[in-house]
């Protein structure tokens, strides 16, 4: 028997694919119906409007993205106690995960941010981003307590830099049509973190 919400998931899957290619404003309900083979009745059974669909896409994206990141973090945290080592291994594991993806990576939030979405969706995105910033900032605070940074830096800025590195990698991947750019940029950020916190890395850089 087919899953109860199989048509809803199909709409969300195809809508996400279309938004990542055409942008939110460039994706119409008719395009989604053509991609899914469903009727307007089926669409409006699950979603009141395109705005409602956009909000649901944002919620699902956050849940899936958070699950991916937290799963990697939890696995790393179980293996080691050192906060700096945890961070460096997490970045490397995340880079390896992106290397294993066959589709061109992208960020739904980035696509949404270029166009006018509902106030509710915009607020949801802002809250989700602040939650991620707080989470990563706390982890960099832990590093700073044990490894004084070699240059003045704020944990919040490092958290934003990390998230910006991933987003920038998405952009480069699409420009060059080479999905490996996310992993490449993550490893550059990993080098940056090492230079800030690892005494040996700083001495090597001087030499």
């Amino acid at each position: 028997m087919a899953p109860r919400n199989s048509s809803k998931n199909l709409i969300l899957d195809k809508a996400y694919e279309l938004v990542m290619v055409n942008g939110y404003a460039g994706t119409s309900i008719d395009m989604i119906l053509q991609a899914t083979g469903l009727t307007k009745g089926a669409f409006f059974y699950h979603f009141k409007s395109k705005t409602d669909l956009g909000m649901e896409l944002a919620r699902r994206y956050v849940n899936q993205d958070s699950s991916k990141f937290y799963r990697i973090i939890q696995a790393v945290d179980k293996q080691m106690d050192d906060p700096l080592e945890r961070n460096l291994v997490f970045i490397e594991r995340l880079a390896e995960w992106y290397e294993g993806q066959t589709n061109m990576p992208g960020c739904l939030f980035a696509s949404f941010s270029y166009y006018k979405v509902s106030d509710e969706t915009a607020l949801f995105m802002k809250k989700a981003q602040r939650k991620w910033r707080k989470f990563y900032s706390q982890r960099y605070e832990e590093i700073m307590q044990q490894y004084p940074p070699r240059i003045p830096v704020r944990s919040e800025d490092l958290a934003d830099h990390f998230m910006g590195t991933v987003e920038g990698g998405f952009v480069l991947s699409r420009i060059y049509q080479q999905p490996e750019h996310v992993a490449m940029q993550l490893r550059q950020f990993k080098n940056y973190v090492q230079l800030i916190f690892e005494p040996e890395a700083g001495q090597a850089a001087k030499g």
Side-chain angles (χ1 to χ4, degrees), residues 48-198:
K48 297 177 182 178
S49 62
K50 181 183 171 183
T51 298
D52 187 33
L53 170 66
M55 185 66 194
E56 190 68 22
L57 280 171
R59 287 197 186 98
R60 191 176 76 153
Y61 180 77
V62 167
N63 290 335
Q64 292 178 343
D65 215 41
S66 298
S67 176
K68 172 186 67 185
F69 279 65
Y70 292 152
R71 186 169 60 250
I72 296 174
I73 287 171
Q74 288 171 357
V76 171
D77 285 359
K78 287 180 180 179
Q79 296 174 355
M80 55 201 68
D81 297 322
D82 185 278
L84 179 57
E85 186 179 7
R86 280 178 169 180
N87 185 261
L88 296 175
V89 173
F90 161 66
I91 296 171
E92 180 60 32
R93 296 270 178 89
L94 189 62
E96 292 171 357
W97 186 88
Y98 278 114
E99 279 182 327
Q101 301 308 297
T102 55
N103 295 327
M104 195 70 66
C107 175
L108 183 75
F109 278 16
S111 180
F112 276 14
S113 67
Y114 295 136
Y115 305 98
K116 175 64 178 175
V117 294
S118 71
D119 291 341
E120 181 185 11
T121 302
L123 180 61
F124 175 81
M125 291 165 55
K126 184 181 293 186
K127 287 182 177 180
Q129 202 71 16
R130 285 175 174 171
K131 182 178 179 181
W132 284 332
R133 172 195 273 178
K134 181 178 180 181
F135 177 79
Y136 292 122
S137 178
Q138 288 173 341
R139 294 179 74 83
Y140 282 109
E141 286 286 352
E142 292 175 6
I143 295 174
M144 289 178 178
Q145 290 174 10
Q146 189 167 334
Y147 296 88
R150 298 176 59 82
I151 58 174
V153 65
R154 298 191 318 157
S155 60
E156 295 89 348
D157 294 336
L158 286 171
D160 285 341
H161 192 175
F162 167 71
M163 293 185 289
T165 296
V166 176
E167 298 296 334
F170 290 154
V171 173
L172 291 174
S173 292
R174 290 186 173 274
I175 290 175
Y176 294 119
Q177 292 296 297
Q178 295 173 332
E180 63 268 21
H181 273 280
V182 180
M184 291 167 59
Q185 296 308 311
L186 279 168
R187 290 189 173 114
Q188 286 300 316
F189 179 74
K190 177 183 172 185
N191 291 339
Y192 176 61
V193 172
Q194 287 179 297
L195 287 170
I196 291 176
F197 294 110
E198 285 189 349

